[in-house]
Each structure stands twice: as C-alpha cells, then as structure tokens.
Amino acid sequence: MTNEKFPVDECSWPASTQEQAQRWLAALEKQGPDNVRARLALTNSAPRAAIVIGTESDVTAGFAQEWLAWNDKRKADREDELKMRQIFWTRCAAIAASVAAIAGAIGWAWTICCKTS
C-alpha cells in the first residue's frame, strides 16, 4: 500500500478543524471501506447529515462518501497496475517459449541435415 493520504483540503464536505478531519480519517480507516459502505447504505442520509463511524459520532455522510470514492479509485488503480504487470509477464513468457520452440526446431533441423551429409 502506498502512503498516499485522502486530500482533506479538497473535500467538498470538510471538517470544521484539521484535528477533527484527522479523527474522522482515522475512524474511517479503522472501520475500512466495506464497513463504511455498509454504514452509509444503512443511514441513507443527505451528505450534510452526521453519521456514526466507529467512535466518531459527527462524521458528515458526504465526507465519508468522498473518502469511500477516493479509496475505491485507489483500489481500481492498483488492480489496473497489477493487470498490466500480469499481461507484461505473460507476454514475456510467451516470447521465451516461442524462442525456445524455434531454437528446438532449428536444432532438430540441424541434426537431420548433419546426419544426412
């Protein structure tokens, strides 16, 4: 995992203080994306509404939604990177197998040519 942090300053639903934002972030990270998503689904409240996340009782739903969207984007980016690495190494393996097959065919043909001479 990267050390990238949620951009609190760019959030549309900011906390009133930086300290409060850090408490909210800690609570969100402690609960994890799946639990936060479930909590948001249960409350079904407006973005300005306060919801309970862990020990924090005043997290705005909008702040939690933005954190969740940011977290989901990071996860999708990591999965895309993993897929690209898998494709790269699969191609490398296919090329190596092709080179080995060609070398084997050339060696076999060379052996046949040398025995008939």
Side-chain angles (χ1 to χ4, degrees), residues 21-40:
Q22 293 309 315
R23 286 195 328 265
W24 288 1
L25 279 175
L28 290 167
E29 289 172 3
K30 186 175 181 181
Q31 291 298 309
D34 293 334
N35 290 332
V36 172
R37 186 175 284 109
R39 183 70 180 123
L40 286 169

Side-chain angles (χ1 to χ4, degrees), residues 33-95:
D34 293 334
N35 290 332
V36 172
R37 186 175 284 109
R39 183 70 180 123
L40 286 169
L42 288 174
T43 58
N44 195 20
S45 55
R48 286 203 184 276
I51 60 172
V52 176
I53 300 289
T55 58
E56 294 296 317
S57 60
D58 60 346
V59 179
T60 60
F63 187 89
Q65 289 167 346
E66 282 193 35
W67 176 82
L68 191 57
W70 173 82
N71 204 26
D72 289 345
K73 176 156 180 11
R74 284 182 50 220
K75 181 179 177 183
D77 290 346
R78 285 191 307 268
E79 288 173 357
D80 287 346
E81 185 180 332
L82 176 63
K83 286 177 188 174
M84 293 306 294
R85 273 193 259 141
Q86 287 175 332
I87 289 169
F88 172 78
W89 288 112
T90 301
R91 286 180 180 162
C92 288
I95 290 169

